Amino acid sequence: MTEIESLRPIAAVLISVVGTLAILAAHRRPNFREAVTLVVSVGKFGIVASMIPGVLAGDVYVWSLGSFVADIPFALRVDSLGLLFAMLASLLWIITSLYSIGYMRGLDEHGQTRYFASFAMSLSAAIGIAFSPNLIVLYVFYEVLTVATYPLVAHDETAESRAAGRKYLAYTFGGGVAVLAGSVFVYWLTGTVTFSSGGIAELAASDPAFARAAFALLAAGFGVKAGLMPLHSWLPDAMVAPTPVSGLLHAVAVVKSGVFGISRVVLDVYGPETVAELGVGLPLAAVATVTLLAASVIALRKDHLKRRLAYSTVSQLSYIVLGLSILSPEAITGGLLHIPAHAFMKLTLFFCAGIIHVETHTDYISEMAGIGKRMPVTMAAFAVASAGMAGIPLIAGFVSKFYILVGTVSTGDYVFAVALLVSGVLNIAYFWPVVYQAFFQSSEAHDAKPLVENPLGGATRSNSPRSDGGRPIDDEEDTEAPATDDEDDIAVEDAEADAGEDPELDPEDLGRPDFSGQATERDYSDPAPLVDGEYAVDRNPSDAMIDEEPDTTEDGETSHTERDDPVDVDRGDDTHADHDHHGGPPAGGWDRRGWLGQESTWFMLGPILVAMTGSVALGLVPHAAVFLRLIDDIVSTALTLGVVF
Amino acid sequence: MTDVVLPLLIAVPILAAVAPLLLSLRTSETGWYVAAVATAVEAGLAAVVLSAVYDGARLVHAVGGYPAPYGIELVGDGLSAPVVALIAVVSVGVVAFAYTGGPRRNSFYSAFLLLVGGLMGVSVTGDLFNMFVFLEITGLATYALVAADRSDRSAVAALKYLILGTMGASFFIIGVGYAFISTGTLNMVDLSSRLAGQYTARPVLASFAFIVVGLGLKAALFPLHTWQPDAYTYASDTVTTFISALVSTVAAYAIARVILTVFTVAFFEAAPLARWAVLTFATVSILAGGLLAVVQSEVKRMFAYSSVSQFGLVIAAFALATPDSVLGGVVHLVGHGLMKGGLFAAAAILAATHGARTVDDYARLGYRSPVVAGVVAVLGLALVGIPPSIGFLGKYYIAVGAVRAGAWPVALVVFLSTLLTLAYVARLLERLYFASPDAAPAPSLDAALADGGETEGESGADAAAPASSNAGDTRTVRSVSVGMIAVVGLAAVAVVALGFVSPGFETLLEPFLGGVFP
């Protein structure tokens, strides 16, 4: 293993800094500006990819500027783990740039120069994180990443996005401070912060209490960006950002840098053996498992598609952390493989959400029934990617999940295996309805979504009609129900309440079926008698949904504006409040578009298909797609001492 | 021979201070040229000192040829050289800034040059009483400069500063007196050897307490800081730029000199209460300054309270008295001077261009003055401690020092200070770039409200404040030129570039630290 002194690492970092300056200078010429982004992203990927053969052969590329602070050098070092992350980020930046062009121009967004410039700077920081040889350089680029991504989060310049930006800064800088504190601890305990495969030797010999404290600080600090609960809360709020930002940064670059930090800490600062000795792997795995499951459950209730994807991201990132903290070779392999696997799949999903927003201004799943007609290619890609999320074979998510499962079972930690399997089921539970209703239902007739629509803890009374037909005047409590019902989108009315309002109504007039088997006077060739101008059966709609009109409720428009009542339809932060509510199918349902790209521009469809293909490729031939080879390399160097635990 | 530079550093500006007054018998507005020449010479002299100390020399000069300990000694070592360099660089910068922006009255430049001389004197003197003399010169010149724009608010602020500052200087001299009666000498090095046996004696402890409290008042540590927000806010913008960067800096340097050279680390070991007392006040200052800064709406006042917080950090570093923390303290001292001076200068430009004085006024200025707002962003983030910048460097060393010394509360507060600083810096940055468009003030300024009232009577007086939405705001600089923007831009570049120069700082301070920590 030779160290090759090269300018390529710093070139890979600086090329997009130069790009940022060029983009800022080109603010009056949008086409030139976009060309700069594309050229720089291709160039960055080229530089990173050129280092693959060398790293696979066992060499390491280094570049150093000299001492930065104390005796810690400001340097860059390209090893397999760094190359894994760098390749992922730079490759996906190319397709995200194309997508961004389509997205920003499609929405005629403001501040595009600032957007593209910040994006380029963020990628520079991400590559810097990937190539950091020690904790301090990692911290430097970690903070630069936060600063560079903040303008992207607050891009919309609305009150909501400013609030999201503030929360983002508070969380990520807090995480940064924890990382710095942890690094200072490590420096104090061992005199060095350099990553060494197998861990820093002196750390194993130092005071366990302080070593554990340092691990906790580092894990918490990186865990903020990695979306470990309860530090994840910034991620769903950051979904106010434009979708390419949510996709590349908050599914690929920023969150993966947090996970990358954790992997560096586990593999190269402490080393698997020390982590096992200190006993800090199990708490980390526990936190990851809780996050896995809790985030999946929360995702079930989200109507806003991007927020659902955000919670899915939180959940999937914990697969990676779980794999890393189990410490067996297969688990680590699986965890690291999930980095690119999840990236491709989640990017596909986010891009689909974005293209739907651009083309139809629809953000809410409850309005997306039948959208497969309008956007077939998109929803097909969505289906493929979500299958991968759930761990269906042939797509990337299966390979990584399988490795992690094998790893958990081989170390005897069955509880984690069970958690992973349950999470797979939950993934299906929150992705399948989206896909199913897109293709197999229509905007006029689609299923209700009780998980999304009903309040936490259940409704005070059932939606479905009572099996005995109900009685005209019922308990007092039912008369309260209509008040709360009115705020539901679904015009559900209580049979008893309405009957209660009309005491003159004789249930006999409703034409109740006669189960006595005796003859009937009723001639069923006649239409049923009308009660209050409508058929009895229509007074209690259940599965067969009538076209949801936002204005059917008493509140009219207010049902889509300020929703202060979280009790009933708990959209929580999913309010329509700040968006011009013009989403949803047009009158008459979705138009039909063909399968040859008539639904949108190829600027956006192309990247979606590329990302989807990438996830399939990773699922079919993970070794040929370089990633798994890099990971095998990482794991074998990190675990030269064999299986731990 | 190079030690001749040391008395020249003090003499040149003091002598030059007379020139504008003499010249004003014939001309007006020539003071600037005298100041420009004097500060350029100072910069050259400072460069000589810096390079000599960097090469490992310790410059010593006996004033008038009288040998120490009877005579006054001037010393240039690893602790004073960076401060001397800072004073020189900031003086040049402010003079360049004042060409278009600042007052052009001759009397202003006399006071300015006196101040530079006083600051240099505090930085290079090796005699405790001599330090008092220069502290007083510094103080008097500063009181005059704060009141220079002749408004009533600045007069009151200057009076407040005068009263409190004189109290501080009086405490300092009482402390020096106690040290003198305990040892019979005033020379710093001599004092340190004579104090050696009697660290726990009452007069010695009292001496330390009085000196530190007196200097702490000058450095504006909480709760002795109350003069600072008013003085910084109501002084004219050019003056604030200068004094924020240097005056408290030099007082903090004096504290470092007293702790490390006069009383030495052994004193802290013999009397740990002294260290913990200073650490406690410094730590509280970090938190209090930060919290007070967050709630401010006026930008200059916010930066003033920020200084209270940052100096808490510096004094805590010196009170910890370990090699890492002292290095961090010096780095942060220099860095803060550049950052705070740059921030006030940028605020001055924004106030002159847009009439923006409060955080609300800064709405969307990021797009109307992109370069200056960019400078505010870079300097603000450096103040928070985002790498790579000199702010990060200082904080890192201080944090390492605190952790190594086992001072966990201090370490915790140092880390939290990042978040506290972020609170007010992020507020400003969000306002600059992401405020909603309807919050931004209209670009047209009420040009008619240029006030002539308060500055009448002086021929060629600094012209009334330019179009400013604050009628009667005499603090605003006269006008804004490209040169002024270039000066603040250079400050931002320097702050980031110095973030990579830690080996330089280490080399510079190595002999000094080796002497202090055997």
Side-chain angles (χ1 to χ4, degrees):
Chain A
M1 150 145 135
T2 50
E3 293 209 343
I4 307 176
E5 295 249 344
S6 165
L7 281 178
R8 279 190 261 184
I10 189 67
V13 172
L14 286 182
I15 190 174
S16 53
V17 175
V18 170
T20 306
L21 298 170
I23 291 169
L24 287 170
H27 65 275
R28 289 191 209 285
R29 294 158 66 192
N31 292 332
F32 182 69
R33 176 189 69 202
E34 262 71 297
V36 169
T37 304
L38 289 171
V39 165
V40 165
S41 56
V42 171
K44 190 192 270 287
F45 179 67
I47 299 176
V48 171
S50 73
M51 295 191 272
I52 296 177
V55 172
L56 280 175
D59 301 329
V60 164
Y61 291 84
V62 293
W63 169 86
S64 178
L65 189 60
S67 183
F68 177 54
V69 65
D71 46 357
I72 302 166
F74 192 86
L76 295 175
R77 187 170 184 272
V78 183
D79 59 0
S80 7
L81 183 53
L83 197 60
L84 172 74
F85 183 41
M87 248 188 64
L88 183 67
S90 49
L91 177 62
L92 291 177
W93 186 28
I94 302 176
I95 64 178
T96 306
S97 303
L98 286 165
Y99 184 85
S100 289
I101 297 171
Y103 184 88
M104 301 300 270
R105 293 187 181 202
L107 288 176
D108 199 18
E109 283 269 350
H110 64 282
Q112 289 191 29
T113 305
R114 180 182 69 200
Y115 171 91
F116 283 107
S118 307
F119 227 112
M121 200 63 208
S122 314
L123 260 296
S124 171
I127 303 296
I129 290 174
F131 291 162
S132 306
N134 58 57
L135 278 169
I136 293 301
V137 177
L138 186 64
Y139 171 75
V140 171
F141 284 112
Y142 204 68
E143 299 288 75
V144 174
L145 184 65
T146 301
V147 173
T149 48
Y150 167 73
L152 294 168
V153 173
H155 174 90
D156 277 354
E157 295 175 11
T158 61
E160 193 191 357
S161 44
R162 277 196 294 274
R166 261 173 264 145
K167 194 170 186 179
Y168 181 65
L169 280 184
Y171 273 82
T172 48
F173 272 127
V177 167
V179 168
L180 182 64
S183 312
V184 168
F185 265 69
V186 171
Y187 183 72
W188 167 54
L189 288 171
T190 64
T192 176
V193 286
T194 314
F195 298 136
S196 339
S197 38
I200 300 176
E202 296 89 337
L203 208 47
S206 54
D207 185 353
F210 285 122
R212 285 192 194 111
F215 187 89
L217 281 168
L218 286 168
F222 287 122
V224 170
K225 277 200 176 145
L228 287 177
M229 285 184 170
L231 307 164
H232 69 290
S233 170
W234 61 273
L235 189 54
D237 286 352
M239 293 295 126
V240 297
T243 305
V245 175
S246 306
L248 189 68
L249 297 182
H250 299 130
V252 177
V254 172
V255 297
K256 293 292 162 44
S257 70
V259 169
F260 180 80
I262 294 182
S263 63
R264 280 288 193 204
V265 168
V266 168
L267 295 174
D268 291 330
V269 176
Y270 282 78
E273 213 187 41
T274 313
V275 174
E277 264 171 32
L278 289 173
V280 284
L282 201 52
L284 188 59
V287 169
T289 310
V290 168
T291 307
L292 262 183
L293 294 172
S296 299
V297 170
I298 299 176
L300 286 169
R301 286 185 50 79
K302 293 294 168 189
D303 195 19
H304 193 267
L305 180 58
K306 278 178 70 176
R307 273 184 207 271
R308 186 173 280 218
L309 293 177
Y311 279 102
S312 168
T313 301
V314 171
S315 171
Q316 297 280 330
L317 289 171
S318 290
Y319 281 38
I320 304 172
V321 178
L322 179 63
L324 287 169
S325 42
I326 297 294
L327 298 172
S328 72
E330 296 86 8
I332 296 183
T333 306
L336 291 174
L337 186 59
H338 205 59
I339 295 178
H342 170 257
F344 277 98
M345 295 187 295
K346 194 42 71 60
L347 199 63
T348 312
L349 291 172
F350 268 111
F351 283 177
C352 293
I355 198 175
I356 292 173
H357 178 78
V358 172
E359 291 295 326
T360 64
H361 290 283
T362 311
D363 301 316
Y364 291 87
I365 294 174
S366 50
E367 293 160 3
M368 285 185 194
I371 204 169
K373 210 161 105 176
R374 169 70 174 78
M375 316 203 66
V377 177
T378 304
M379 294 316 292
F382 193 97
V384 169
S386 37
M389 286 291 195
I392 311 264
L394 296 188
I395 309 172
F398 169 72
V399 186
S400 48
K401 204 161 164 189
F402 187 72
Y403 270 104
I404 304 177
L405 278 168
V406 168
T408 53
V409 168
S410 72
T411 55
D413 297 318
Y414 299 109
V415 63
F416 299 123
V418 169
L420 279 169
L421 293 171
V422 168
S423 169
V425 172
L426 288 172
N427 266 283
I428 298 178
Y430 60 76
F431 279 130
W432 177 242
V434 182
V435 175
Y436 180 76
Q437 70 165 8
F439 284 115
F440 299 108
Q441 295 187 329
S442 74
S443 47
E444 292 86 24
H446 60 270
D447 289 346
K449 291 178 188 53
L451 282 175
V452 172
E453 289 150 358
N454 285 349
L456 265 176
T460 53
R461 30 146 306 283
S462 162
N463 280 349
S464 48
R466 292 167 74 109
S467 53
D468 64 353
R471 273 161 293 160
I473 302 165
D474 218 287
D475 313 335
E476 259 75 62
E477 62 177 1
D478 292 332
T479 55
E480 293 164 0
T484 49
D485 280 345
D486 282 343
E487 292 181 28
D488 282 345
D489 260 358
I490 316 147
V492 173
E493 286 148 348
D494 183 48
E496 291 87 345
D498 285 333
E501 287 163 12
D502 192 352
E504 291 106 49
L505 183 64
D506 185 353
E508 297 305 318
D509 290 344
L510 294 172
R512 185 185 309 177
D514 181 4
F515 291 113
S516 62
Q518 283 148 18
T520 106
E521 293 130 33
R522 176 135 179 232
D523 179 0
Y524 283 97
S525 59
D526 290 330
L530 290 173
V531 179
D532 275 355
E534 55 180 347
Y535 294 114
V537 66
D538 287 335
R539 307 189 80 208
N540 296 298
S542 59
D543 278 337
M545 283 298 297
I546 330 168
D547 192 23
E548 259 178 24
E549 284 167 14
D551 300 323
T552 49
T553 66
E554 259 183 25
D555 297 344
E557 284 296 66
T558 58
S559 67
H560 280 278
T561 52
E562 281 307 321
R563 277 188 162 276
D564 296 317
D565 184 5
V567 172
D568 289 285
V569 178
D570 186 356
R571 303 232 164 150
D573 27 16
D574 274 2
T575 62
H576 294 253
D578 311 292
H579 312 282
D580 294 322
H581 186 67
H582 47 282
W590 299 106
D591 317 324
R592 177 172 293 285
R593 302 286 169 96
W595 283 82
L596 294 176
Q598 294 101 321
E599 68 207 55
S600 179
T601 151
W602 281 105
F603 266 119
M604 290 195 275
L605 280 176
I608 291 178
L609 291 174
V610 170
M612 181 194 81
T613 313
S615 28
V616 173
L618 264 180
L620 287 175
V621 285
H623 267 100
V626 176
F627 291 105
L628 192 51
R629 280 160 60 189
L630 284 171
I631 291 167
D632 282 341
D633 190 28
I634 301 166
V635 174
S636 59
T637 45
L639 288 175
T640 45
L641 304 149
V643 178
V644 265
F645 241 10
Chain B
M1 246 319 269
T2 15
D3 56 290
V4 159
V5 173
L6 295 173
L8 280 176
L9 270 173
I10 308 173
V12 165
I14 293 185
L15 288 174
V18 180
L21 291 174
L22 288 177
L23 284 173
S24 63
L25 295 170
R26 292 294 220 93
T27 58
S28 61
E29 303 225 345
T30 41
W32 185 87
Y33 298 94
V34 175
V37 169
T39 46
V41 170
E42 286 287 283
L45 294 170
V48 170
V49 171
L50 196 62
S51 65
V53 174
Y54 190 80
D55 292 335
R58 181 171 174 270
L59 301 172
V60 177
H61 177 90
V63 176
Y66 295 104
Y70 306 108
I72 296 174
E73 236 180 12
L74 300 177
V75 176
D77 65 1
L79 189 58
S80 43
V83 180
V84 165
L86 178 71
I87 298 172
V89 166
V90 173
S91 310
V92 171
V94 170
V95 168
F97 191 84
Y99 181 70
T100 321
R104 292 293 289 266
R105 298 200 301 281
N106 290 346
S107 52
F108 174 82
Y109 288 101
S110 285
F112 178 84
L113 288 170
L114 261 182
L115 181 54
V116 174
L119 291 168
M120 285 296 188
V122 176
S123 314
V124 299
T125 184
D127 181 290
L128 216 47
F129 187 82
N130 196 221
M131 185 178 264
F132 166 74
V133 172
F134 283 117
L135 271 174
E136 284 287 79
I137 295 179
T138 309
L140 290 169
T142 316
Y143 310 148
L145 283 175
V146 167
D149 68 335
R150 304 184 177 188
S151 70
D152 33 14
R153 292 182 308 181
S154 63
V156 174
L159 187 67
K160 204 167 167 182
Y161 185 15
L162 182 145
I163 294 174
L164 288 170
T166 311
M167 274 171 58
S170 309
F171 282 139
F172 181 79
I173 197 64
I174 294 175
V176 172
Y178 277 122
F180 183 60
I181 61 176
S182 307
T183 59
T185 176
L186 291 167
N187 180 281
M188 288 183 187
V189 176
D190 204 25
L191 263 174
S192 69
S193 53
R194 291 198 193 199
L195 282 171
Q198 37 179 333
Y199 285 138
T200 46
R202 283 258 179 97
V204 172
L205 291 172
S207 156
F208 181 79
F210 274 106
I211 291 178
V212 168
V213 169
L215 288 173
L217 196 150
K218 291 247 173 208
L221 269 188
F222 186 87
L224 307 162
H225 67 289
T226 46
W227 57 269
Q228 193 183 67
D230 281 347
Y232 282 17
T233 311
Y234 298 127
S236 69
D237 289 343
T238 319
V239 169
T240 313
T241 308
F242 191 67
I243 63 178
S244 67
L246 294 181
V247 173
S248 296
T249 307
V250 148
Y253 156 82
I255 294 182
R257 181 60 81 187
V258 164
I259 290 177
L260 296 172
T261 305
V262 179
F263 283 86
T264 74
V265 187
F267 170 74
F268 276 156
E269 268 144 48
L273 180 62
R275 164 190 271 156
W276 289 110
V278 181
L279 262 182
T280 311
F281 277 111
T283 313
V284 169
S285 189
I286 300 175
L287 293 172
L291 289 170
L292 286 166
V294 171
V295 299
Q296 298 305 319
S297 54
E298 187 167 357
V299 171
K300 283 180 82 173
R301 196 172 277 272
M302 186 172 86
F303 288 153
Y305 279 112
S306 162
S307 281
V308 173
S309 180
Q310 300 298 322
F311 276 107
L313 200 55
V314 169
I315 307 289
F318 291 135
L320 283 169
T322 69
D324 290 304
S325 68
V326 170
L327 179 59
V330 173
V331 170
H332 201 65
L333 202 58
V334 171
H336 172 263
L338 291 171
M339 290 187 284
K340 202 41 75 62
L343 278 171
F344 272 112
I349 296 178
L350 289 175
T353 324
H354 306 282
R357 285 283 180 199
T358 63
V359 176
D360 284 346
D361 291 342
Y362 272 49
R364 296 195 78 85
L365 288 186
Y367 306 108
R368 290 162 59 190
S369 292
V371 176
V372 180
V375 166
V376 171
V378 168
L379 291 174
L381 291 174
L383 200 64
V384 173
I386 310 268
S389 66
I390 195 171
F392 166 70
L393 221 54
K395 266 209 171 120
Y396 182 80
Y397 279 114
I398 299 173
V400 169
V403 168
R404 279 199 169 139
W408 304 115
V410 180
L412 180 67
V413 171
V414 169
F415 288 123
L416 285 182
S417 72
T418 308
L419 293 177
L420 213 46
T421 315
L422 179 71
Y424 53 86
V425 169
R427 199 170 134 229
L428 201 59
L429 293 184
E430 187 197 278
R431 200 81 193 144
L432 278 171
Y433 291 105
F434 296 103
S436 45
D438 39 294
S444 64
L445 305 165
D446 20 319
L449 289 182
D451 76 320
E454 292 178 25
T455 56
E456 274 163 0
E458 180 83 1
S459 60
D462 47 340
S468 133
S469 45
N470 305 316
D473 193 346
T474 52
R475 305 173 287 178
T476 325
V477 294
R478 300 201 301 173
S479 61
V480 176
S481 70
V482 172
M484 289 161 75
I485 301 181
V487 166
V488 296
L490 269 177
V493 169
V495 162
V496 174
L498 283 172
F500 288 100
V501 180
S502 91
F505 279 110
E506 286 186 9
T507 318
L508 193 62
L509 266 88
E510 204 187 302
F512 172 74
L513 290 174
V516 171
F517 302 102

